[in-house]
Amino acid sequence: MATVAAVIASTHHPFYYRASTATGDDRPPFADEWVTKIEAFRETLTRAEPDVLVMVGSDHFHQLWLDNMPQFLVGKAPFFDANFYNEEREFGLPRMTLRGQEDLAAHILRQGLDADFDLAFSNELRIDHSITCPIITLRPQADLPIVPIYTNIFAPPLPQPKRFVQLGRTLRELVESWPEDKRVAIIGTGHLSLELGGPRQFGEHGPDPEFDRKAVDWIASGDIEGCLAEVTLDSLHHPGNATHGFMDFMLMMGVAGDGAKADYVDSLDLFHTMEAYFTWYPNGVPA
Amino acid sequence: MSTYLLDKFLFTVDRDPALVERYREDPVGTVTWWEQEMANTLLHCIPAEKTTWLAFTPEERRALSEHDHVALFELGAHPFLTLTLFIAMFERDHGPLEYQRAYGRAMQHISMPYPDIAT
């Protein structure tokens, strides 16, 4: 059976690639500290020696559109091309091609359907920065096969927060029941408080530092119950109009498990939004 | 109300480099052309299989034709789509983050709850 080698939850900041590769006058003052933190975070994945990456993210109206919008979708294909013209344009992201782990995708789809998650699927999925940002930060050599899983945190009506947690718990079971002797890291990215296209965007900090502080505490301590008691689809509007991306963190809390304290926690207060990085080792911290 | 169609305009223009430039340079002409030729094109289907019923309201048409991102927000257009497209069109005329901050400042009068973006 497969082993969950690491569970990783992270923000996905599309500006990291450009900030970390910029030189001279183009290099922002926060870049060096950011790179130092990312390199330490990357080491938490490297140390787990994964063979396969399950990547949870959310398409930002790149391939998925309102005429045909899935709530939860699994990519099942031998390859995934990545990043779109408008992400190259705005963020300078490179084009990439990642290998897919089709047999694990098939297993997650079949067993997920049988576990009462009506998962959609795609056999030709171009993935966006919600998945390529963590590849760039955590596995820049992009050498491991992936199974991308998309959630709808973007186009209402959205699934309830508890459904994200439930899917996370189930995803953990599905990976652990995959009959291959492989080490799988489950990586998911979302947001803390975030405002896009509204009056609170691009401030000196994230739009709601108090929410961010609570969110980091919930995730770091595995306090699913406390988080679900406070977070609703309505409440997530208040910290910022794009804060529903926090539900991908809730999904990852479900993967990590109730009361599972993160083995690695870090954050970085940037303009516009706070970065946060978490790693759990369900089978013990690697040597 | 045709919030979906507003979003469809923003989505189809934002993903096409030529349309981004055309909308920047000629918003009125682009919106007129798009509503006539593109609004009822069903993505992934052949041209003959057109939708028959999609049209902008006068206020939606005006907001798009005047690059009025504040009105688009108030009409419930998806803020991510509007922001991304408007950055593509206008960031180049400003210093670093200057456009994004001005974009937010222009909406300071808008309070919670924000307009519904459900389609």
Side-chain angles (χ1 to χ4, degrees), chain A residues 215-255:
Chain A
V216 168
D217 284 348
W218 286 324
I219 301 166
S221 63
D223 185 8
I224 294 176
E225 198 178 328
C227 183
L228 279 173
E230 284 198 39
V231 172
T232 67
L233 289 174
D234 281 341
S235 80
L236 285 173
H237 289 288
H238 296 285
N241 70 346
T243 309
H244 290 84
F246 179 66
M247 292 193 295
D248 281 336
F249 273 114
M250 297 179 75
L251 191 157
M252 296 312 299
M253 291 168 72
V255 174

Side-chain angles (χ1 to χ4, degrees), chain B residues 1-3 6 55-65 75:
Chain B
M1 283 287 284
S2 45
T3 310
L6 278 180
F56 291 127
T57 65
E59 173 57 9
E60 289 165 349
R61 196 176 295 118
R62 185 205 65 75
L64 287 174
S65 297
L75 288 165

Side-chain angles (χ1 to χ4, degrees), chain A residues 141-219:
Chain A
Q141 60 271 51
D143 59 339
L144 296 178
I146 69 165
V147 177
I149 299 179
Y150 270 153
T151 68
N152 177 19
I153 50 86
F154 205 61
L158 309 178
Q160 293 287 349
K162 69 177 181 196
R163 197 66 176 150
F164 283 75
V165 172
Q166 289 166 351
L167 180 58
R169 288 175 179 142
T170 299
L171 183 59
R172 166 83 174 266
E173 293 170 6
L174 298 179
V175 170
E176 288 178 334
S177 68
W178 184 37
E180 295 289 332
D181 185 23
K182 300 269 193 188
R183 296 176 61 77
V184 181
I186 306 175
I187 300 171
T189 69
H191 297 293
L192 302 182
S193 71
L194 180 64
E195 177 105 337
L196 292 171
R200 294 175 286 173
Q201 70 175 11
F202 288 94
E204 293 303 311
H205 308 279
D208 191 340
E210 173 60 19
F211 175 86
D212 295 344
R213 190 191 59 73
K214 277 202 287 192
V216 168
D217 284 348
W218 286 324
I219 301 166

